């Protein structure tokens, strides 16, 4: 199984348009530090599953018939906007449409439900629902966000990886599930530096560093990669390198995690 981060940034991405802060200047000068909007994909048995659909070049990146299924975390525009282009793709039979799953959200996003085209929206998932895809056991976890939102835990041959965006910390129920089902890798929303650094405490939809540290202590994942990152957090991290390690780090676009049959896992940064 191969898990790939297609993007790790927030809706403003990195560099932020017009910004000249340290993090944005670095991203302009060095492409490896740029961040697309947060999304990911899973590859197994020659099949590809997308988690959210927001790459600006998604139609070029994924040729026709190369996307086998799409999981949506939620229906905010910055996580689904590429579906508006993808839905106009040509298909001959109903079997050629792409299955799309996500949380229960009666509003969805704009007119996607009304005019799905190539997209075949499936019955919504419930929290803590488990299903199988290409030999991978996938469980949904409820997240704390302004729209109904789900995270996904992928289990392959006893190895688990959690993908948790967008969320303001984790509920007690979600943390209890993770304690009972320990994950090796956790990729989790961290939109903000410590609230004391912000001064206003006005954080509601995305996690802070303090929350991530508490979740790490409570759930004991082996490695934690931060995603949904903005320039505010990136600038703070540049000034606080001692706060991070190989087991707690800011994830980068293109990072791949592979689970192998010999019970090994690997990480690479090129796709």
């Amino acid at each position: 199984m191969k898990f790939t981060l297609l993007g790790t940034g927030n809706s403003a991405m990195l560099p932020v348009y017009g910004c000249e802060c340290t993090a944005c200047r670095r991203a302009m000068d060095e492409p490896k530090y740029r961040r697309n909007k947060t999304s990911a994909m899973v590859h197994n048995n020659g099949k590809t599953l997308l988690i959210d659909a927001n790459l600006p070049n998604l139609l070029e990146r994924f040729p026709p018939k190369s996307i086998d299924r799409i999981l949506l975390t939620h229906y905010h525009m910055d996580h689904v906007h590429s579906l508006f282009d993808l839905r106009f793709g040509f298909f001959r039979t109903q079997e050629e449409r792409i299955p799309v799953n996500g949380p229960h959200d009666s509003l969805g996003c704009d007119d996607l439900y009304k005019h799905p085209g190539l997209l075949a929206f499936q019955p919504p998932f419930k929290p803590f629902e488990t299903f199988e895809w290409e030999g991978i056991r996938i469980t949904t976890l409820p997240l704390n966000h302004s729209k109904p939102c789900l995270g996904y835990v992928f289990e392959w041959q006893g190895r688990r990886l959690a993908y948790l965006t967008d969320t303001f910390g984790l509920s007690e129920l979600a943390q209890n599930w993770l304690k009972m089902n320990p994950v090796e890798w956790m990729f989790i929303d961290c939109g903000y530096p410590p609230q004391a650094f912000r001064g206003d405490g006005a954080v509601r939809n995305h996690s802070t560093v303090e929350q991530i540290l508490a979740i790490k202590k409570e759930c004991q994942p082996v490695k934690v990669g931060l995603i949904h990152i903005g320039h505010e957090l990136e600038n703070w991290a540049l000034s606080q390198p001692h706060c991070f390690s190989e087991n707690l780090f800011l994830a980068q676009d293109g990072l791949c995690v592979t689970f192998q049959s010999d019970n090994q896992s690997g990480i690479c940064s090129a796709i």
Side-chain angles (χ1 to χ4, degrees):
M1 184 188 92
K2 183 167 77 169
F3 178 92
T4 304
L5 293 173
L6 300 174
T8 56
N10 64 11
S11 58
M13 302 179 287
L14 206 72
V16 176
Y17 181 73
C19 183
E20 296 185 357
C21 72
T22 300
C24 288
R25 289 199 307 270
R26 183 178 72 156
M28 284 186 280
D29 294 339
E30 301 182 63
K32 68 179 180 179
Y33 293 115
R34 294 178 181 176
R35 298 184 185 277
N36 277 310
K37 298 179 180 72
T38 289
S39 64
M41 72 175 178
V42 179
H43 190 77
N44 200 44
N45 292 341
K47 302 289 186 179
T48 298
L49 177 151
L50 294 187
I51 312 172
D52 289 337
N54 53 20
L55 280 180
N57 64 340
L58 186 138
L59 301 188
E60 292 76 28
R61 176 74 175 272
F62 296 95
K65 300 183 181 181
S66 66
I67 300 172
D68 298 289
R69 190 169 181 174
I70 299 174
L71 299 184
L72 300 179
T73 60
H74 64 299
Y75 285 90
H76 272 149
M77 181 65 78
D78 60 319
H79 287 259
V80 302
H81 64 76
S82 292
L83 294 181
F84 288 89
D85 298 325
L86 185 63
R87 66 177 171 174
F88 290 116
F90 178 76
F91 62 96
R92 294 179 178 82
T93 66
Q94 291 299 308
E95 288 71 24
E96 291 181 345
R97 298 175 73 202
I98 302 171
V100 181
N101 297 90
H104 176 72
D105 187 335
S106 59
L107 297 178
C109 185
D110 199 75
D111 65 352
L112 280 174
Y113 290 159
K114 185 177 181 180
H115 302 292
L118 179 62
L119 309 174
F121 287 97
Q122 306 297 304
F125 287 135
K126 298 176 182 178
F128 304 107
E129 185 171 342
T130 297
F131 60 99
E132 300 280 336
W133 178 81
E134 296 298 327
I136 301 171
R137 183 178 175 87
I138 305 173
T139 301
T140 66
L141 294 186
L143 302 180
N144 302 323
H145 201 48
S146 57
K147 254 187 174 293
C149 190
L150 292 174
Y152 297 97
V153 177
F154 302 88
E155 181 177 349
W156 184 79
Q157 297 189 9
R159 318 281 296 286
R160 296 190 190 94
L161 180 151
Y163 181 81
L164 310 171
T165 192
D166 300 23
T167 190
F168 179 66
L170 291 177
S171 68
E172 184 177 351
L173 286 175
Q175 290 196 62
N176 285 340
W177 190 95
L178 288 164
K179 286 191 289 185
M180 294 175 62
N181 301 272
V183 300
E184 184 173 342
W185 292 81
M186 178 184 287
F187 292 102
I188 186 167
D189 178 322
C190 187
Y192 299 106
Q195 287 203 51
F197 179 85
R198 288 173 54 83
D200 55 13
V203 177
R204 295 291 182 270
N205 271 336
H206 302 283
S207 300
T208 66
V209 169
E210 299 103 321
Q211 289 173 307
I212 300 305
L213 294 176
I215 291 166
K216 186 176 186 293
K217 180 178 180 180
E218 188 77 10
C219 301
Q220 295 292 304
V222 178
K223 294 181 181 294
V224 177
L226 308 184
I227 54 176
H228 212 281
I229 294 165
H231 64 167
E232 188 176 24
L233 175 65
E234 189 107 34
N235 279 312
W236 180 83
L238 286 170
S239 69
Q240 305 288 329
H242 61 280
C243 293
F244 301 95
S245 67
E246 63 176 12
N247 293 328
L248 176 65
F249 58 94
L250 273 63
Q252 296 293 147
D253 290 20
L255 183 150
C256 298
V257 175
T258 59
F259 286 167
Q260 303 170 10
S261 297
D262 57 5
N263 206 38
Q264 298 294 313
S265 67
I267 183 170
C268 63
S269 57
I271 52 175

